Amino acid sequence: MIDKSEQNPHQINGRVVDNPWRTLRSYTDARIGLGRAGISLPTSEMLGFQLSHAQARDAVNLPLNVDTLCEQLSPFNASLDSQSNKDDKVYCTPSLPIALHSEAYDRMTYLQRPDLGRKLNDPSRASLQRYMAQQGVDAQLKYDLSIVIADGLSSLAVQQNAVPYIQHLVALLQDEPQPWRLAPFSIVEQGRVAIGDDVGALLNAQVVLVLIGERPGLSSPDSLGVYLTWQPQVGLNDASRNCISNIRPAGLAFEEAAKRTLYLLREARRLKLSGVNLKDRSQDDVIENQTHNKNFLLSGE
């Protein structure tokens, strides 16, 4: 006889029929094995769906807190400056983050006019040109890498995950035998991926990395995406970019994302390209190692 205290309470009250596939929920956030109450979803599942939907909408509409982000990024400037002086070689040109804005002047315009989110507005363009002019001692100043942070469709993802990711990436870049000269961080409000081309071209950067909030899912309102483009210039399409997606505590770990980014940066610099012609083979070693493992189907031999 089964002890009722060990049964699912929903089964005990006889109103909700459990689904045997529900055990798979321990492996995924996907909504599977929801069970049923009569011919409908259980109330708890309906409420859970509505909560996730509200969180996704909030992620889209929540304004990016640029001041907080600038404050969080300031320690990196000090750290990079110290490292640059110590080694007497240029890792970067430390400077305060540059706050920029796209031609989409508010959220509603951003959502309805994707083309405007891909272009810098005139004051932002002038700000970058003024910054480069201030570096007048080196008229041919070139940066190896420009990191652009844009709110995209989830400012929540940027606010929570951009700094921890940068922390891991900068640590890896500082250990590189061939130095990376970093442009100042750029923070773009109402920005889409392609706006990195505008920023990268104005900063005369070889490679641009765009950190952007991805379109929220019902179980992932906080996914950060990273897009890499070699020789950024206005007019490039998505075939020219490499993407690393779903960077967040419940998705791709910051450390692993930073390692994959470093691999792509090295290869982009070596091959002088990005996009469909640049393959992410950072996991090949793992696959090769796995081939040496004994096939479990033959474990009985």
Side-chain angles (χ1 to χ4, degrees), residues 8 10 16-23 25 29-37 40-46 49:
N8 186 310
H10 293 304
V16 174
V17 178
D18 224 350
N19 186 312
W21 291 97
R22 191 173 184 83
T23 56
R25 291 291 293 274
D29 291 329
R31 284 185 161 77
I32 58 176
L34 302 182
R36 63 182 174 84
S40 302
L41 288 174
T43 301
S44 60
E45 298 295 345
M46 286 296 297
F49 176 86

Side-chain angles (χ1 to χ4, degrees), residues 31 44-58 217-219 221:
R31 284 185 161 77
S44 60
E45 298 295 345
M46 286 296 297
L47 292 174
F49 176 86
Q50 291 172 2
L51 175 61
S52 296
H53 188 253
Q55 290 172 331
R57 290 176 62 90
D58 285 349
L218 287 175
S219 59

Side-chain angles (χ1 to χ4, degrees), residues 26 35 39 44 58 63 69 75 122 131 143 146 149 169 188 197 209 220 222 237 249 293-294:
S26 59
I39 59 172
S44 60
D58 285 349
L69 198 53
D122 289 340
Y131 170 81
Y143 290 110
S146 169
I149 305 165
L169 179 62
V188 186
D197 298 337
L209 278 182
S220 55
D222 58 342
N237 57 35
N293 293 337
K294 199 170 184 180

Side-chain angles (χ1 to χ4, degrees), residues 57-125:
R57 290 176 62 90
D58 285 349
V60 172
N61 293 307
L62 182 70
L64 182 65
N65 190 330
V66 177
D67 291 339
T68 298
L69 198 53
C70 286
E71 186 177 336
Q72 292 172 332
L73 290 171
S74 295
F76 291 103
N77 296 323
S79 169
L80 291 168
D81 193 17
S82 171
Q83 186 71 30
S84 179
N85 293 333
K86 184 178 67 176
D87 294 344
D88 195 27
K89 60 182 180 180
V90 177
Y91 271 106
C92 62
T93 301
S95 178
L96 292 175
I98 303 175
L100 307 170
H101 205 291
S102 76
E103 287 189 355
Y105 58 88
D106 62 14
R107 201 57 171 169
M108 188 57 67
T109 306
Y110 174 85
L111 295 174
Q112 295 179 340
R113 290 288 306 272
D115 56 319
L116 298 182
R118 301 185 183 109
K119 305 173 186 174
L120 286 174
N121 63 12
D122 289 340
S124 297
R125 184 179 295 275

